[in-house]
Amino acid sequence: MTDKILGFVGNSSNIIGIFGAVFSFLVWIKLRMQNKRLIELSRTLPVFEDFNERVNYWSEIRTLNPYAFAVSLLETSASIKGDVERFLKSKGHKWERMPIVELDMHGIGIDKIEEYLTQLRTKRKELEAKGATEVHLFLAGPVQAATLIGAMFDNWRPVLLYQRNRDTGNYEFWCPLIK
């Protein structure tokens, strides 16, 4: 009797294992087909039809409480706040009244990323508390740091990106942070 029960349990577990393997194989096939469809769809996404319009729209102050955010992460240079102030003054009266929030870390490396992210989060909360309606971002630092800012400030308020022109030494509007 015990042998019959053990035989039944063994056969049942074999059948359940076979069903599990077949089910897993079918799920794998379905996911693979779905992945192929997603890749094909991503190739057919339309271009930004209104990209230039967005850039032109945001090249001017559009909201009531704009802030400049000056981020300096270079070990070899001082704060960029003075450069940002000069740029804002050169743009005119409406721009020169824009308050500046500064983040200056005097260099960044892998060992300071956690501190950098913490400070970014703190500055974002500060900008929220001050009621910033748009943020003009000026950055002196590595591309990786810019990527982290983009991730931190994504889907938030309008964030407008500026780049320092190496030839002229002046900042120029690049584009808004968009997806």
Side-chain angles (χ1 to χ4, degrees):
M1 176 88 165
T2 310
D3 289 337
K4 286 184 179 180
I5 293 174
L6 289 176
F8 176 76
V9 170
N11 290 336
S12 299
S13 67
N14 288 340
I15 292 171
I16 291 171
I18 291 170
F19 280 128
V22 169
F23 179 75
S24 296
F25 181 72
L26 293 174
V27 168
W28 176 78
I29 289 174
K30 184 164 179 80
L31 287 174
R32 187 174 163 105
M33 289 173 36
Q34 184 178 6
N35 193 29
K36 283 183 180 181
R37 273 186 277 182
L38 288 173
I39 289 171
E40 288 173 17
L41 277 173
S42 69
R43 290 182 182 145
T44 63
L45 288 175
V47 296
F48 287 108
E49 293 177 9
D50 60 345
F51 181 76
N52 289 331
E53 293 168 11
R54 287 185 190 193
V55 171
N56 290 334
Y57 178 82
W58 286 109
S59 64
E60 296 295 326
I61 295 174
R62 295 292 176 176
T63 63
L64 295 175
N65 197 20
Y67 271 78
F69 186 29
V71 180
S72 179
L73 305 172
L74 300 177
E75 194 173 298
T76 57
S77 67
S79 165
I80 63 169
K81 186 175 181 179
D83 294 334
V84 172
E85 286 173 340
R86 280 188 290 285
F87 169 77
L88 294 175
K89 283 181 184 176
S90 75
K91 295 285 283 179
H93 181 67
K94 191 175 181 181
W95 288 78
E96 67 184 340
R97 295 182 311 184
M98 187 185 306
I100 300 173
V101 172
E102 184 178 23
L103 172 60
D104 189 1
M105 288 189 58
H106 304 291
I108 188 169
I110 294 173
D111 58 329
K112 290 186 174 182
I113 291 175
E114 184 177 358
E115 176 189 350
Y116 173 60
L117 290 172
T118 301
Q119 287 193 35
L120 274 179
R121 188 178 295 133
T122 301
K123 295 298 180 181
R124 181 178 161 162
K125 296 277 189 209
E126 178 182 337
L127 288 164
E128 284 177 359
K130 291 180 176 184
T133 53
E134 65 187 70
V135 177
H136 297 256
L137 176 63
F138 301 84
L139 171 70
V143 172
Q144 293 82 353
T147 304
L148 293 172
I149 290 175
M152 180 78 65
F153 284 41
D154 180 38
N155 245 356
W156 188 54
R157 291 172 177 54
V159 177
L160 310 163
L161 308 174
Y162 290 82
Q163 173 180 311
R164 187 171 184 149
N165 186 317
R166 290 183 186 188
D167 297 333
T168 65
N170 296 324
Y171 283 100
E172 55 191 19
F173 177 61
W174 193 253
C175 67
L177 180 65
I178 58 175
K179 289 185 180 191

